[in-house]
Amino acid sequence: MVDKPAIQYVVEEAVKAGLVDILMITGRNKNALENHFDRAFELEATLRRKGDASRLTKVTHSTDLADIHYVRQGDPLGLGHAVSKAAMHVGRESFALLLGDDIIDEEFDLLSQMIVEHQERGATIVALMEVPDELVSSYGVASIEATEKEGVVRITGLVEKPDLGDQPSNYAIIGRYILQPEVFDILATTEPGRGGEIQLTDALTVLAENPNIAGGVYGIVFTGRRYDTGDRLSYLQAVVQIASHRKDLGPDFSAWLIDYAASLESASIASPASAGKSASDK
Ligand code: G1P
């Protein structure tokens, strides 16, 4: 995305929040991921020989970011199953879970806020975002109650990907969680749920309904920019928005974008039918 892989934004977000011990749960054919965060000796030597310090810094930056470990999920049995693969590495501590498809714009320090909330409440914390009706069936959706603090809600229940009309609210979990180690105990006995997969949402439901186990579950309602790189339209929007907010590329790119948007607008005024067709043609 712009000039680095999406996963690097996620790792940088964790590092910015002070988390430098990172475990990636990966799968088959994901070797490129490990290579990206490893040293690139030949490339580094070539750049050093050429005296290209700025590119060299970029290449070594991804390697020096954090202490990254990897474990393979093996059978793809669902998000809850993937999380349970972290049990040995994490031990009996709380930890952050960041889903690689979700990017939180680096302007917002959502993860740090979640960590503070977790420390103050001794509870599981998830990030929530209000989504329109047509998107509820793509997310874990929460039943919520207000707390004494604006922007923080208590979660009383959760449903994974509810059918439209069955959603308990329009507050969806976006891929950021601060989890307590008790989640591993619950996941160990969680039966397959929606889609025949072991769902993290189902384990969180148990924790939400039984606050005596690990302090309950709270949500921070996020209102900033978040992108889903697994969705084509959202991916394209992410690239454009990230580029236009970048200090180096932003001014030139935004100037071009304004001209380009104006040209699209005049084209749609000239020929509204064809413009409408191309806009909805995903
Ligand atoms: C997963 C979770 C879902 C959550 C979503 C956030 O779903 O199961 O509860 O709302 O991530 O992106 P997935 O996108 O993997 O289908």
Side-chain angles (χ1 to χ4, degrees):
M1 300 178 72
V2 185
D3 56 4
K4 55 192 177 194
I7 189 70
Q8 191 169 328
Y9 288 88
V10 179
V11 172
E12 285 173 355
E13 181 191 340
V15 171
K16 204 172 129 201
L19 309 174
V20 291
D21 175 355
I22 294 179
L23 176 72
M24 292 206 194
I25 318 286
T26 69
R28 283 164 59 76
N29 307 321
K30 294 277 172 69
N31 294 343
L33 228 153
E34 296 184 34
N35 292 342
H36 175 70
F37 291 102
D38 201 352
R39 291 239 91 91
F41 291 111
E42 297 84 352
L43 181 59
E44 287 173 28
T46 309
L47 293 172
R48 215 168 272 125
R49 208 168 42 241
K50 284 185 174 170
D52 192 339
S54 103
R55 285 213 174 84
L56 182 61
T57 313
K58 268 194 181 152
V59 171
T60 52
H61 172 69
S62 59
T63 315
D64 299 335
L65 262 177
D67 193 2
I68 305 184
H69 310 262
Y70 300 88
V71 62
R72 288 189 181 222
Q73 187 185 358
D75 299 319
L77 300 179
L79 178 60
H81 174 252
V83 171
S84 68
K85 291 281 166 184
M88 288 283 270
H89 185 88
V90 169
R92 300 308 290 181
E93 286 183 58
S94 48
F95 61 104
L97 168 68
L98 292 82
L99 304 190
D101 273 1
D102 290 271
I103 308 265
I104 305 294
D105 196 290
E106 57 194 0
E107 207 177 282
F108 305 90
D109 56 0
L110 172 64
L111 199 57
S112 306
Q113 284 175 37
M114 292 174 73
I115 293 171
V116 170
E117 210 57 44
H118 161 73
Q119 285 163 341
E120 284 174 3
R121 295 187 190 270
T124 299
I125 310 290
V126 304
L128 296 175
M129 215 166 170
E130 199 170 0
V131 298
D133 283 349
E134 63 273 19
L135 290 183
V136 288
S137 61
S138 303
Y139 293 99
V141 179
S143 313
I144 57 170
E145 254 171 24
T147 65
E148 74 299 341
K149 200 170 183 181
E150 208 188 319
V152 179
V153 293
R154 193 172 86 81
I155 296 183
T156 54
L158 286 156
V159 189
E160 179 67 11
K161 306 201 170 87
D163 292 332
L164 181 58
D166 291 345
Q167 74 270 29
S169 77
N170 280 42
Y171 287 94
I173 303 182
I174 51 175
R176 298 294 180 271
Y177 310 73
I178 309 291
L179 299 171
Q180 308 263 56
E182 287 80 358
V183 76
F184 294 127
D185 311 331
I186 313 278
L187 282 170
T189 57
T190 300
E191 297 288 331
R194 184 96 189 170
E197 297 189 336
I198 298 172
Q199 297 291 352
L200 176 63
T201 303
D202 294 345
L204 295 183
T205 305
V206 175
L207 293 175
E209 288 174 353
N210 301 280
N212 56 312
I213 300 179
V217 182
Y218 289 79
I220 291 196
V221 180
F222 182 61
T223 52
R225 286 190 301 277
R226 170 250 176 196
Y227 316 106
D228 176 1
T229 59
D231 173 82
R232 283 175 299 170
L233 184 61
S234 183
Y235 171 80
L236 291 169
Q237 290 164 343
V239 173
V240 170
Q241 292 196 47
I242 290 171
S244 51
H245 282 91
R246 280 264 298 250
K247 285 200 182 71
D248 51 352
L249 289 165
D252 286 349
F253 180 65
S254 301
W256 172 82
L257 191 60
I258 290 165
D259 281 352
Y260 183 59
S263 77
L264 287 182
E265 198 171 27
S266 45
S268 84
I269 291 167
S271 163
S274 68
K277 185 164 176 274
S278 64
S280 62
D281 178 19
K282 290 192 201 167

